[in-house]
Amino acid sequence: MEKHFCTCQTTDCPSHPGNHNEGCDLCIQKNLKLGEIPACFWINITNGVIGQTEYSVENFTKFYLANKAGGKQ
């Protein structure tokens, strides 16, 4: 099986691209339904999402604003 580029470290999630052959679609659909942002967006800002418990668009915006000044722009 070809390795998917996904940066998400939650490989036990049923929507993770490594657990099916539908690419990112299941993950994106799940996140849109829940009003959340996929882990790969969080990881793009920093090198992880340790300590995050709520992945809403609002919380992502706060996370982005707090971390973008930390060097990655």
Side-chain angles (χ1 to χ4, degrees):
M1 181 173 154
E2 185 178 324
K3 182 173 173 26
H4 195 275
F5 73 91
C6 183
T7 60
C8 180
Q9 299 161 356
T10 311
T11 55
D12 59 340
C13 175
S15 299
H16 189 281
N19 296 326
H20 53 79
N21 62 359
E22 296 185 49
C24 296
D25 288 2
L26 296 180
C27 179
I28 299 298
Q29 290 170 353
K30 177 195 77 139
N31 282 282
L32 286 172
K33 182 179 179 180
L34 296 174
E36 296 181 343
I37 300 289
C40 56
F41 284 70
W42 296 79
I43 293 168
N44 190 48
I45 297 170
T46 64
N47 288 327
V49 293
I50 296 170
Q52 294 299 315
T53 58
E54 201 267 306
Y55 298 94
S56 69
V57 173
E58 180 181 357
N59 201 37
F60 176 79
T61 304
K62 291 175 187 175
F63 182 81
Y64 173 79
L65 292 172
N67 289 281
K68 90 169 196 168
K72 191 166 186 180
Q73 293 186 20

